[in-house]
Amino acid sequence: MAEIYAAALINGLLIGGVYALVALGLTLIYGVLHIVNFAHGSLLMVAMFAAWLMAEKAGVHPYAALPVVALAMFALGWLLYRYVIGRVSRGEDRAILLATLGVAVVLDNVFLTLFGGDTRQIESDLTFAVIEAGPLLLSVPKVIAFAVSLLLAGALWAFMALTDTGRAIRAVAKEPEGARLMGIRPERIFALAYGIGIGCLGAAGCLLLPSFFVSPHVGNVFVLVAFTIVVLGGMGSFPGAVVGGLLIGVTESLGGLWLGESLGPIGISLVFIAVLLFRPTGLFGAAR
Amino acid sequence: MKAPLIVVGLVLALGPFALTSQSLVNFAMLTVVSAFLGQCWNIAGGFGGLTSFGHTIFFGTGAYTAAILQTRWGLNPWLALPAALVTGSLVGAAIGAAAFRAGLRGSYFALVTLAFAEVFRVLSNSLDFTRGGLGINIPLGMGAGNFQFADRRSTYAVALAFLVLATAAAAWLKRARFGARLAALRENEDAAAALGVNLVRTKTIALALSGGLTALGGVLYAQTYLYVDPAISFGVERSVEMLLVAMIGGAGTVWGPILGAIVLHIIADVSRSWIDTPGFAPMLYGVVLLVIIGLLPRGIIGIWERWRA
């Protein structure tokens, strides 16, 4: 019995690592631009499709494709912000929310039109590989995804803390007008931060694909998960996104174990609602 | 200005009864249902600024109310209409009271409604009471007494009556003191509260009103297709469509959702003759939404307003 729980716990932590990477992008976008990026799930779907296409059509393993997909997603995010979201929304809260919803609707349905609604997976010798750790069997793609996600999270943190660009991003997040007076152009930083947030999704898509399926609707699954993590950790908080990702991974895994496959997913939505209703600042968030 | 509007309205409203083409009647019915649901969203989302991403909660509540009343308790389906009005409003009041008491607004309100819709979907997919993922089949029994119509024109007539009801509610909001309080909260929450508008109560009533009306649409769906399941009832697509209809036509206006529904269904029909895949029309909706937000924040009806001004 204890072994089942231990396995569920470890599995939850492993998947939670990738969730953390997805949520980092979202929390970065929120922290800097103060916008709720509803297109986050759909952009992850795009990244997963990109990884799938690289594997199926070009025979490139998702791990090898990771840098390319992450860069391409960065470019897509930068362009989306520069030419669609930033332009359409004129800085109004509701307009931005609806603009990101519009982007999500367009992306979901472009892929539905092009590829149909079927779910797709890649065949890889890694898909079913396991490591034996005592009595536990750990899925190799999940272990790799976990390790690389946390590595990338650390790299992102170092980038934000140590480089001039990172400092500029943090300056704009805190005080856009002050940053402008220091010679930083907030509009550029906004596009850059949005691009980095979406670039995280490029990496996450490649890490998820060997153990996950992709379909044009998969964004709907992830968007709620990502927002739950970010809200739980505190909107805009980096450590919050990592801790929240791990907690939500475990919640999902244990929820499935206790409540069964059909009722299990309710755990995430309930956590989300409870945090919003009772502790909207989350675990690490500053008071609003 | 009123007279031509009424004439156009009458032609659109009564025209389908003269039609014999099934596809045209079907088009008219779907458009009117869409306009009705968009109008229901508009009551909360437009007039109250409560941008809901989960309005299908109320639609699904109504659909399940109709299905369960008949299959479990053997009640006449016409009773489902008042029952759905009650269940839909109660769900709206409960979600509203919880969300507005916690001070959720804007994007946060949108997200919490999305999460509630997911809770409803998972629950209806898991509970025996709703027959889980199997969904509920409503036994066939054509006849007006049984609220099942072989002729789509009758369904159209019911949908039209709903649309008139919801539009009357919207027109009332435009004039009544309650509507003014709601609009004041939408424009500036702090100022309205300082003037003595009860924030939680006003917004909760708006959501309950919108929820009760939306639930009627669920009943009509159940009685038309004689089947409900978790994805039909609580899937995110319907929430988004309701929002799109209102936003594209003109949120917070009385005629916007009707205009929005007509435009979206013409787009859907025309685009289907170009490329007939399930995603193509919704993709165009998304593009239209982006264009509208960018260029016409008041919706298509804004063109008319600008022209008159």
Side-chain angles (χ1 to χ4, degrees), chain A residues 33 35 77-92 95-96 99-100 103 187 190-191 194, chain B residues 290 293-294:
Chain A
L33 292 91
I35 70 172
W78 191 88
L79 290 170
L80 262 182
Y81 186 80
R82 187 84 176 67
Y83 292 102
V84 183
I85 297 169
R87 195 161 283 193
V88 159
S89 58
R90 279 159 312 188
E92 292 166 40
I96 293 175
T100 58
V103 168
E187 273 306 314
F190 287 160
Y194 197 85
Chain B
L290 288 172
I293 302 167

Side-chain angles (χ1 to χ4, degrees), chain A residues 26 29 35-41 43 85 100 194 198 201 223 227:
Chain A
L26 190 60
I29 290 170
I35 70 172
V36 163
N37 180 35
F38 199 73
H40 214 66
L43 284 159
I85 297 169
T100 58
Y194 197 85
I198 304 310
L201 295 179
V223 79
F227 275 113

Side-chain angles (χ1 to χ4, degrees), chain A residues 54-117:
Chain A
M54 297 277 278
E56 284 296 304
K57 307 291 174 200
V60 182
H61 192 274
Y63 297 152
L66 191 147
V68 180
V69 174
L71 266 179
M73 290 304 292
F74 168 83
L76 176 66
W78 191 88
L79 290 170
L80 262 182
Y81 186 80
R82 187 84 176 67
Y83 292 102
V84 183
I85 297 169
R87 195 161 283 193
V88 159
S89 58
R90 279 159 312 188
E92 292 166 40
D93 177 56
R94 174 162 151 141
I96 293 175
L97 178 71
L98 292 173
T100 58
L101 172 72
V103 168
V105 170
V106 172
L107 289 176
D108 285 2
N109 288 296
V110 164
F111 279 83
L112 187 59
T113 304
L114 293 178
F115 296 97

Side-chain angles (χ1 to χ4, degrees), chain A residues 30 90 94 109 113 262 269 272, chain B residues 45 51 108 118 126 279-280 293:
Chain A
Y30 181 84
R90 279 159 312 188
R94 174 162 151 141
N109 288 296
T113 304
S262 159
S269 308
F272 184 65
Chain B
T51 318
Y108 288 90
E118 181 63 10
S126 314
F280 190 62
I293 302 167

Side-chain angles (χ1 to χ4, degrees), chain B residues 25-92:
Chain B
V25 171
N26 213 37
F27 173 82
M29 182 200 77
L30 291 175
T31 307
V32 167
V33 168
S34 231
F36 164 66
L37 292 173
Q39 188 69 279
C40 294
W41 187 91
N42 189 34
I43 286 171
F47 289 97
L50 312 172
T51 318
S52 159
F53 276 12
H55 236 60
T56 195
I57 296 167
F58 310 117
F59 177 92
T61 302
Y64 271 104
T65 301
I68 288 170
L69 276 187
Q70 290 168 78
T71 55
R72 286 203 179 260
W73 296 313
L75 293 174
N76 183 286
W78 285 103
L79 290 174
L81 289 178
L85 214 46
V86 172
T87 53
S89 325
L90 284 179
V91 171

Side-chain angles (χ1 to χ4, degrees), chain A residues 248 250-271, chain B residues 118 121-123 125-126:
Chain A
I248 289 302
V250 172
T251 305
E252 187 185 59
S253 179
L254 290 179
L257 187 61
W258 283 328
L259 302 172
E261 200 169 317
S262 159
L263 196 56
I266 206 170
I268 289 177
S269 308
L270 288 181
V271 168
Chain B
E118 181 63 10
R121 192 190 65 76
V122 173
L123 280 179
N125 199 30
S126 314

